Amino acid sequence: MLIVGVVGSPRKNGLTSRLITSALEGAREAGASTKVIYLIDFDIQPWTPDRPKAPEELNEIMRKADGFIIGAPVYYLDVNGLTKDFMDTVDMGDSNGKPGLGIAVAGGTGKGLVLAIKSIYHFFFCKGIRGLEPLPVSRFNYEEAIKKAHELGGEVARQARERKPFRSLEERISYFHSLKYMNMDMVDEILLLAGQLLRTSPKVDLKEEANASYEKALRLIRSGRKEEAIKYAVEAYNLLYYR
């Protein structure tokens, strides 16, 4: 049983790599063999009619895998270009029902952590990969995410023991629709970041004010007034990030 971890960042020792390493450690503890792939090591080009596939060496590794862990940094609210080119061109053979974990890592402001993770899970959907709970990461929840990656890596290995192919498009849509974060938009994302900052920010003197705005945004969203909630979600985030 082989679990392949894909590092989409051009930095081999960066935040994305650490998360993939933690996830693969969890997979090994659950009994799997593991292999890490650094996309920067391969000549991955954008899709063109003349060059529609990734390098065959990379395709072969991915076809042999029983489960996948894909990690990518966030550039401009989406996965970086190297990861996108990989997803556009990789030939994984029949991957229907194999388990997968997606990790998106947003540095700086943290924005894009959910929007980017959805790109990875759209790829999983198209390939029939049975995605586990996504792992959107910012520097505000990074230490928590390292532990969560380890846990989810173990779950990838456990699910890889018994492949569960999707039997219909209806089943696949229903499965992905039910996954955490898949129905979140930009408003939900900024509120998620505000919640992370409330847990981890050292700005204790601002937390009471930020929490009041955060809770008001939550109440408005629950009552179906999401447009009104934007002001308070952003206010909570700005108080703890920019001030």
Side-chain angles (χ1 to χ4, degrees):
M1 179 173 60
L2 175 65
I3 307 301
V4 171
V6 176
V7 178
S9 172
R11 298 183 181 91
K12 288 190 175 182
N13 298 310
L15 302 179
T16 306
S17 182
R18 283 183 59 201
L19 285 156
I20 294 293
T21 297
S22 181
L24 290 178
E25 286 173 354
R28 284 194 297 274
E29 289 176 12
S33 298
T34 64
K35 184 176 182 64
V36 63
I37 295 296
Y38 298 97
L39 295 185
I40 197 66
D41 288 340
F42 296 86
D43 181 23
I44 301 171
Q45 300 294 322
W47 187 96
T48 67
D50 296 329
R51 190 168 183 172
K53 290 185 180 181
E56 185 56 25
E57 179 187 358
L58 177 57
N59 294 333
E60 185 177 346
I61 294 168
M62 300 303 288
R63 287 194 291 262
K64 288 179 179 177
D66 300 294
F68 313 96
I69 301 169
I70 298 177
V74 176
Y75 295 178
Y76 294 98
L77 308 185
D78 206 344
V79 296
N80 65 325
L82 180 58
T83 303
K84 186 62 171 68
D85 288 340
F86 161 77
M87 294 192 298
D88 284 346
T89 59
V90 67
D91 179 359
M92 305 176 78
D94 179 13
S95 54
N96 185 19
K98 293 181 179 180
L101 166 63
I103 304 172
V105 190
T109 66
K111 292 191 282 291
L113 77 168
V114 169
L115 301 178
I117 202 73
K118 290 169 74 172
S119 287
I120 298 174
Y121 278 72
H122 293 159
F123 168 72
F124 284 171
F125 174 88
C126 292
K127 295 294 187 180
I129 296 168
R130 194 172 284 273
L132 276 66
E133 177 185 333
L135 185 54
V137 183
S138 73
R139 61 189 179 87
F140 315 131
N141 76 329
Y142 190 78
E143 295 307 318
E144 297 173 11
I146 286 285
K147 297 176 183 177
K148 187 67 173 178
H150 187 277
E151 174 189 325
L152 290 170
E155 186 59 26
V156 172
R158 285 186 285 273
Q159 290 199 18
R161 295 188 188 115
E162 186 180 352
R163 185 173 172 179
K164 297 178 180 177
F166 292 104
R167 295 165 294 179
S168 67
L169 177 60
E170 179 182 352
E171 180 189 357
R172 198 188 313 182
I173 291 173
S174 178
Y175 180 85
F176 278 87
H177 183 74
S178 70
L179 285 174
K180 189 175 182 180
Y181 305 112
M182 288 299 98
N183 294 310
M184 291 179 68
D185 59 20
M186 197 174 288
V187 183
D188 302 312
E189 181 182 91
I190 202 71
L191 196 60
L192 174 68
L193 286 169
Q196 291 178 358
L197 282 163
L198 281 167
R199 294 196 305 275
T200 62
S201 173
K203 299 176 183 178
V204 179
D205 56 324
L206 295 174
K207 282 191 174 181
E208 184 175 350
E209 183 181 356
N211 188 63
S213 295
Y214 175 81
E215 292 293 337
K216 186 162 187 176
L218 280 178
R219 289 194 298 272
L220 286 166
I221 289 172
R222 288 167 184 158
S223 64
R225 299 158 65 188
K226 200 167 202 175
E227 187 71 24
E228 294 176 55
I230 295 172
K231 172 184 176 181
Y232 300 100
V234 171
E235 189 173 87
Y237 172 83
N238 283 347
L239 278 167
L240 295 176
Y241 182 73
Y242 288 109
R243 283 179 56 177

